[in-house]
Amino acid sequence: MSELRGTVLERDGAAYRVLTDRGVLRAVLRGKAKRDDRDKIVVGDVVRLDPGPVGDVYGIVGMEERRSLLARRVPEGRGARPVAANVDRVFVVTAARDPEPVPQVIDRLLVVAEANDLPGVVILNKVDLDPGSALRERFERAGYQVLATSARSGLGIDTLRRELAGRTSVVTGPSGVGKSSLLNAVQPGLRLRVGEISAKLRRGRHTTVAAVMVPLEVGGFVVDTPGFSEVGLWDIEPEDLDACFPEMRPYLGECRYADCRHVAEPRCAVLAAVQAGAIDPDRLQSYHKLLEELEARPEAWE
């Protein structure tokens, strides 16, 4: 029998649900994979399975190389813990109105994506209530793709469905912005399925950032990562934050001082770009707030 391959959808205790061409199979770590750190295998990983199960449980004997990884640093020490593998993009949802958008919250989530080398996309939802033109311009100027949607009217849902198709996507955002409605508009019952799995995992241990993956009918997967907003900032050093703002990257290395923080230093290329209108002042303010937060955090040994 040939070796099976599949994609890990979720971890349930010591077992994993793996999607294969034979359907969803239950599997546990065996051999070398079992001797390795169990946290190394996460949702999104493509794993190799023993072709013959023991009872109805297959064995995970290896893992394919990842093309990307969403990880968090372990708070009690150095090192990172993987959360989801082979993610293609992070979709950050905000409402144009009801609730009122908080651009700095969206910036934070986009920075988390950038810190993990994952492209971010902004979904501007509830545009039937407000077109959100200023907010859209703000993020497009920063270099982000912005999708305008309305789960109520159906505007932009076909576009969103095409963007999700064939990819592995994290969909996140503040509560109340319409994530559930959007997912149900893309695929009826999808959010119900995600919520069902997430609720089950939260009853166990290690649930803060436990991720689950749900297949899409159009191909691809949606990944739900509870606590996504806590994932990334642990992984960013203050001196690396500016590179997590795409519009700042062309100016990095052009400042007078190599360790320029872009706050009040003379001959700062980033501050000059803000004055010239190339960078939104509000985005710079978000950068300053996040920089202050990172610089104030305790070191790993404190």
Side-chain angles (χ1 to χ4, degrees):
M1 299 175 67
S2 61
E3 191 176 65
L4 278 171
R5 280 176 170 77
T7 301
V8 175
L9 298 181
E10 65 173 293
R11 178 180 171 184
D12 185 5
Y16 299 82
R17 292 179 66 252
V18 182
L19 179 64
T20 73
D21 56 8
R22 297 185 189 176
V24 177
L25 306 178
R26 185 174 171 83
V28 296
L29 299 173
R30 288 197 189 134
K32 184 177 183 298
K34 187 174 183 179
R35 291 192 295 272
D36 289 342
D37 183 358
R38 186 174 292 179
D39 283 330
K40 283 187 177 180
I41 292 182
V42 293
V43 302
D45 273 322
V46 177
V47 294
R48 300 187 298 276
L49 305 176
D50 277 334
V54 176
D56 61 349
V57 179
Y58 288 74
I60 296 174
V61 296
M63 180 178 71
E64 299 297 305
E65 184 177 352
R66 294 162 171 158
R67 66 176 184 273
S68 67
L69 181 67
L70 175 64
R72 69 180 179 98
R73 182 173 295 178
V74 181
E76 62 270 16
R78 296 189 180 276
R81 178 172 296 162
V83 175
N86 300 315
V87 173
D88 293 304
R89 289 192 293 182
V90 174
F91 290 81
V92 181
V93 184
T94 182
R97 185 156 62 88
D98 189 27
E100 288 301 311
V102 183
Q104 289 76 20
V105 172
I106 306 307
D107 290 338
R108 182 187 185 92
L109 296 172
L110 291 170
V111 163
V112 171
E114 295 283 349
N116 284 273
D117 296 319
L118 296 172
V121 178
V122 176
I123 300 178
L124 183 59
N125 194 31
K126 302 187 182 182
V127 293
D128 54 313
L129 302 178
D130 187 317
S133 302
L135 197 62
R136 178 169 190 160
E137 181 183 0
R138 180 186 191 273
F139 288 109
E140 287 181 338
R141 283 184 63 195
Y144 289 102
Q145 179 184 7
V146 179
L147 303 179
T149 61
S150 169
R152 179 180 299 176
S153 72
L155 177 68
I157 298 302
D158 287 342
T159 299
L160 176 58
R161 189 180 293 112
R162 286 194 298 270
E163 292 290 335
L164 293 171
R167 297 183 173 97
T168 298
S169 306
V170 171
V171 180
T172 187
S175 56
V177 297
K179 296 187 299 294
S180 297
S181 298
L182 279 176
L183 291 177
N184 284 330
V186 167
Q187 180 175 310
L190 177 62
R191 183 62 201 180
L192 180 63
R193 175 63 178 147
V194 172
E196 171 194 332
I197 297 173
S198 297
K200 180 178 67 174
L201 291 180
R202 290 191 184 103
R203 288 196 292 269
R205 298 182 303 162
H206 309 299
T207 57
T208 307
V209 290
V212 295
M213 177 179 285
V214 180
L216 293 169
E217 292 172 356
V218 293
F221 302 88
V222 165
V223 181
D224 185 41
T225 57
F228 179 87
S229 60
E230 289 84 39
V231 168
L233 292 189
W234 277 97
D235 297 320
I236 308 172
E237 297 300 328
E239 60 269 23
D240 297 330
L241 179 63
D242 51 10
C244 295
F245 284 72
E247 69 271 45
M248 292 187 185
R249 289 198 282 259
Y251 306 98
L252 302 184
E254 302 298 322
C255 300
R256 178 179 180 179
Y257 301 109
D259 59 350
C260 185
R261 296 164 64 249
H262 322 301
V263 176
E265 296 86 346
R267 291 172 54 186
C268 170
V270 170
L271 295 180
V274 173
Q275 292 177 344
I279 295 176
D280 192 315
D282 192 53
R283 285 275 291 174
L284 179 69
Q285 186 178 12
S286 274
Y287 162 79
H288 286 162
K289 288 181 178 179
L290 289 175
L291 181 65
E292 182 179 355
E293 176 184 334
L294 291 174
E295 291 178 337
R297 74 183 179 192
E299 296 292 345
W301 57 84
E302 293 186 293

